[in-house]
């Protein structure tokens, strides 16, 4: 049995006592929310709680929600934050561009006062980050790279060569052997987008 109705992303569907969260949903504070726009499906197995999932319409958009790990590209940096474009949510490519900001205080978990943005990211770096708050009117998401798994995954040196991470804060150009500072991600292979 399934019940379909158009749903909006971020919409509260029901409480976790009524159902189990399926694909296209997330739970927060005891409620199940839709993480994408699409159709709501309820499937119940014998006596168990129904599973609620949201099936995306082919043309609808997956949205970065709080807690999602996203792959983004750095556009610009200044002393207070890095501006990025979000390219993927998990391993799903986005159809349209979402903008994000990684503030200086959200780059690392420790020694936040010593963090320097230009020693963490450079324009065109590919970064894994986590969404910590949803966008404002300009759809600008706040992102964090404070966990070890998050940070720069792909960076090119000034010579244009993809650099190799040599520590949690440095990458090296294999051609020139020049070292550059970055907030390096300890990459989990399932997130690696090239």
């Amino acid at each position: 049995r399934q019940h379909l109705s158009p749903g909006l992303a971020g919409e509260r569907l029901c409480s976790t006592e009524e159902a189990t969260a399926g694909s296209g949903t997330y739970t927060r504070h005891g409620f199940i929310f839709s993480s994408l726009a699409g159709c709501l499906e309820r499937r119940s197995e014998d006596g168990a709680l129904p599973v609620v999932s949201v099936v995306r319409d082919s043309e609808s958009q997956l949205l970065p929600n709080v807690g999602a790990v996203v792959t983004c590209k750095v556009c610009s940096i200044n002393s207070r934050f890095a501006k990025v474009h979000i390219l993927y949510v998990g391993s799903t490519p986005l159809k349209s561009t979402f903008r994000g900001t990684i503030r200086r205080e959200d780059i690392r978990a420790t020694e936040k006062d010593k963090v320097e943005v230009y020693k963490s990211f450079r324009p065109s770096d590919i970064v894994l980050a986590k969404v910590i708050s949803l966008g404002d009117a300009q759809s600008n998401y706040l992102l964090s790279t404070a966990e070890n798994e998050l940070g720069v995954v792909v960076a090119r040196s000034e010579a244009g060569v993809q650099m190799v991470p040599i520590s949690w804060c440095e990458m090296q150009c294999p051609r020139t052997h020049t070292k550059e500072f970055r907030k390096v991600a300890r990459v989990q292979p399932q997130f690696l987008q090239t």
Side-chain angles (χ1 to χ4, degrees):
R1 284 182 305 159
Q2 59 180 44
H3 164 66
L4 293 174
S5 68
L8 297 166
E11 191 179 2
R12 193 165 90 177
L13 304 174
C14 61
S15 90
T16 48
E17 290 168 10
E18 297 169 52
T20 308
S23 60
T25 69
Y26 61 98
T27 56
R28 223 161 134 216
H29 308 310
F31 289 96
I32 299 175
F33 294 83
S34 60
S35 60
L36 41 92
C39 293
L40 179 63
E41 276 196 2
R42 281 175 189 267
R43 302 197 170 179
S44 30
E45 303 289 317
D46 327 312
L49 280 179
V51 174
V52 172
S53 48
V54 177
V55 180
R56 189 158 34 141
D57 306 325
S58 54
E59 64 281 351
S60 72
Q61 172 69 282
L62 175 74
L63 297 172
N65 52 33
V66 172
V69 173
V70 296
T71 305
C72 43
K73 184 173 189 171
V74 178
C75 314
S76 63
I77 58 172
N78 65 24
S79 60
R80 291 173 299 127
F81 51 75
K83 290 271 184 203
V84 303
H85 280 154
I86 300 173
L87 308 174
Y88 290 81
V89 173
S91 56
T92 308
L94 293 173
K95 294 195 184 82
S96 55
T97 304
F98 289 93
R99 290 193 299 277
T101 301
I102 305 170
R103 297 175 303 185
R104 198 181 84 129
E105 60 267 32
D106 297 322
I107 292 176
R108 287 194 192 288
T110 55
E111 298 187 316
K112 294 182 183 192
D113 51 332
K114 294 184 183 162
V115 171
E116 292 178 82
V117 178
Y118 79 96
K119 285 187 174 178
S120 305
F121 309 116
R122 295 283 170 90
S124 82
D125 284 357
I126 302 296
V127 174
L128 270 185
K130 189 170 269 187
V131 180
I132 52 174
S133 89
L134 298 182
D136 50 26
Q138 290 82 41
S139 75
N140 194 347
Y141 288 80
L142 276 184
L143 308 175
S144 163
T145 55
E147 294 168 36
N148 289 344
E149 281 72 31
L150 306 176
V152 177
V153 285
V154 179
R156 297 200 176 276
S157 66
E158 288 174 3
V161 182
Q162 187 168 322
M163 293 195 289
V164 179
I166 52 173
S167 75
W168 57 275
C169 63
E170 279 185 306
M171 287 184 153
Q172 187 171 33
C173 173
R175 186 181 298 163
T176 63
H177 304 296
T178 311
K179 294 175 186 175
E180 293 183 24
F181 286 106
R182 290 293 195 282
K183 195 292 180 183
V184 181
R186 189 175 70 203
V187 177
Q188 298 171 317
Q190 75 262 32
F191 287 126
L192 195 53
Q193 299 296 340
T194 48

